[in-house]
Amino acid sequence: MTSPTRIAVDRDALGAAVPRRLFGTFVEHMGRCVYDGIHSPGHETADAAGFRADVLELVRELGATVVRYPGGNFVSGYRWEDGVGPRDERSVRLDAAWHSTETNQVGLHEFAEWADAAGLEVMEAVNLGTRGVAEAADLLEYTNHPSGTALSERRRANGRDEPFGIRLWCLGNEMDGPWQIGHKTADEYGRLAAETARMMRFIDPTVELVAAGSSNHEMPTFGEWERTVLRHTAGLIDHISVHAYYEEDPADPASFLASGAALDRYIGEVADIIDEVGATTPDGHPIGISVDEWNVWNQTRWNEVDKPRVFTGDWPIAPRLIEDDYTVTDAVVVGSLLITLLRRSDRVSMANLAQLVNVIAPIRTEPGGGAAWRQSTFHPFKLTAEAASGRVAPVSVDGARIVTARHGEVEAVDAIATVDGDVAHVFVAHRSLDAATEVELDLGAVASADAVVITVPEGGDRNTTNCADAEPVAPTALAVEVVDGILRFTLPPLAWARIRVRLAL
């Protein structure tokens, strides 16, 4: 048992309102995310459009608020027109981004109706890889213009009388990445994004636009890319993207568990660049940061083993791509990344866990008549999305510290709180692999409290995963007592917890 950890929540200094879009997700036409994921006409639970009802129920349970679609790398070669109109007349295409065959059986109409059933706001991406201003404008007119034009009447003829009313749009994806179809220099992309944004605002002034930031923090273009793109697009866009993936080095689990510290620095650097450029939205507010791809992911295995195999040979439909099996350790890291996003919600306007089903996802399925199940990472996302509301409350932590090779010294326990009326929620990650810690949590006057924890299940270890037949990694009750107004509980090593507190006002 390590020395006690003391956490204090400052209820008198409430910060930013919790953005509901912080709990977004991502569906890309990649691997088995769409086909054999959300859509599987042969499954016993499939509806008339071919969407699995069991998956839909898990998506609703997850509690996501926004869904980014249809990519990702996929969008940089996508013709949106292929996915509208009668299904039996749709073109089958090669998808060069993922070396697959795209049947286009799921397109804008089908996906928007599914997202509506799931309670998700659609965040549509436009192709600025092989296409440009005119095609983006056409898609927006088709999607949002009421009637009376060739494109809006085409939508109505295709079965959607009322506009889709999509407000949130991504201007391309990861355009500085050499892997990206049609990748560009910062000036090339910045100018194209600005012209596309201007045209889209002419058609529909109510849209919100997200410019593509650098593909990741380690890109040689990072920093100067953001400066250049923002100089081109300031006053035309509302958000700039951040993409952040983290993986464990088996020789350095401490650094992986401290990934939240890396994300915090990344967000801070982008915020500083926004301020340096003086980049504002059309309304004059600082441009928001859209962390529209984030997760844990075994990228080394993908790049060195799976990708060379996938990108040779035939062009399969919905191949298995990066279907990582998530562990207890992964769940704690995802929970800690959510703590960082909440802490940074003064600058982070939205975020999207990538992806939703099968592809590095909280939900997995098996094809045919197979089951759907919750991965370990499902739980911290659900527990945070359903509870975090009101305003973010600053938190101070006094306890043991951990030395990491990649991030220096970090707190063994990381925490953030939200306060909504007389209810507070405190989210806590314990990064230590070695010992439990007693926690003393001070929120002022407390009426009652209860808590749940995600940690190593009995008989398991930190690499325990869930599967179609069993879900051993799941929330369990955490004993909490109130002594003289202070909450006391014990966190096991490698744990993520949510504490719900009824405040005495």
Side-chain angles (χ1 to χ4, degrees), residues 110-355:
E110 293 82 17
F111 185 78
E113 290 177 7
W114 177 85
D116 185 61
L120 295 165
E121 176 187 8
V122 175
M123 179 184 190
E124 186 79 9
V126 300
N127 177 357
L128 294 188
T130 60
R131 312 188 94 184
V133 178
E135 292 85 358
D138 284 352
L139 175 57
L140 178 59
E141 182 182 331
Y142 180 93
T143 302
N144 284 8
H145 192 71
S147 63
T149 67
L151 287 165
S152 60
E153 291 300 323
R154 182 179 174 189
R155 180 198 70 242
R156 297 179 70 203
N158 286 334
R160 178 81 179 206
D161 190 57
E162 296 299 318
F164 289 98
I166 296 174
R167 296 291 167 232
L168 193 52
W169 296 80
C170 297
L171 302 174
N173 174 75
E174 295 185 356
M175 298 309 300
D176 66 336
W179 59 84
Q180 197 71 207
I181 297 170
H183 90 99
K184 295 170 173 58
T185 66
D187 272 314
E188 289 170 339
Y189 170 72
R191 179 163 172 75
L192 176 58
E195 293 306 315
T196 304
R198 187 173 288 110
M199 183 65 171
M200 292 179 75
R201 290 196 181 281
F202 286 160
I203 293 170
D204 185 349
T206 70
V207 294
E208 285 185 60
L209 303 175
V210 185
S214 190
S215 303
N216 60 69
H217 187 267
E218 284 65 48
M219 291 291 291
T221 47
F222 171 68
E224 195 53 40
W225 174 276
E226 279 74 8
R227 291 182 184 91
T228 302
V229 169
L230 287 170
R231 290 183 186 117
H232 279 287
T233 60
L236 292 167
I237 65 165
D238 303 274
H239 319 265
I240 189 166
S241 72
V242 158
H243 290 180
Y245 293 101
Y246 301 95
E247 70 172 314
E248 179 176 352
D249 178 347
D252 185 21
S255 291
F256 180 53
L257 285 162
S259 295
L263 178 59
D264 186 85
R265 286 196 300 272
Y266 188 1
I267 292 167
E269 289 177 48
V270 175
D272 288 344
I273 292 169
I274 292 169
D275 294 343
E276 170 196 328
V277 176
T280 60
T281 69
D283 295 330
H285 301 292
I287 285 171
I289 297 172
S290 174
V291 188
D292 50 45
E293 288 188 32
W294 71 271
N295 206 341
V296 298
W297 169 22
N298 192 336
Q299 296 177 72
T300 300
R301 186 182 66 206
W302 162 249
N303 287 315
E304 295 180 359
V305 179
D306 296 339
K307 188 175 180 179
R309 170 183 54 80
V310 169
F311 279 73
T312 57
D314 58 8
W315 294 75
I317 296 172
R320 290 181 182 267
L321 300 182
I322 57 172
E323 297 190 9
D324 286 10
D325 297 315
Y326 286 129
T327 66
V328 177
T329 311
D330 295 325
V332 172
V333 173
V334 164
S336 70
L337 292 169
L338 285 160
I339 288 172
T340 297
L341 291 171
L342 281 168
R343 180 182 294 117
R344 284 291 192 167
S345 58
D346 59 329
R347 302 306 297 260
V348 175
S349 48
M350 55 192 163
N352 302 73
L353 179 69
Q355 295 185 15

Side-chain angles (χ1 to χ4, degrees), residues 48-67:
F51 291 98
R52 286 180 60 158
D54 59 343
V55 173
L56 180 61
E57 285 306 307
L58 286 177
V59 171
R60 289 170 174 158
E61 181 186 340
L62 183 67
T65 54
V66 178
V67 59

Side-chain angles (χ1 to χ4, degrees), residues 426-470:
V426 184
F427 307 92
V428 184
H430 188 204
R431 297 160 165 162
S432 173
L433 291 169
D434 303 317
T437 183
E438 294 179 351
V439 178
E440 298 175 355
L441 173 59
D442 184 1
L443 293 101
V446 171
S448 62
D450 61 83
V452 292
V453 66
I454 299 165
T455 190
V456 176
E458 185 176 355
D461 59 30
R462 74 181 189 89
N463 294 312
T464 300
T465 63
N466 293 345
C467 65
D469 299 321

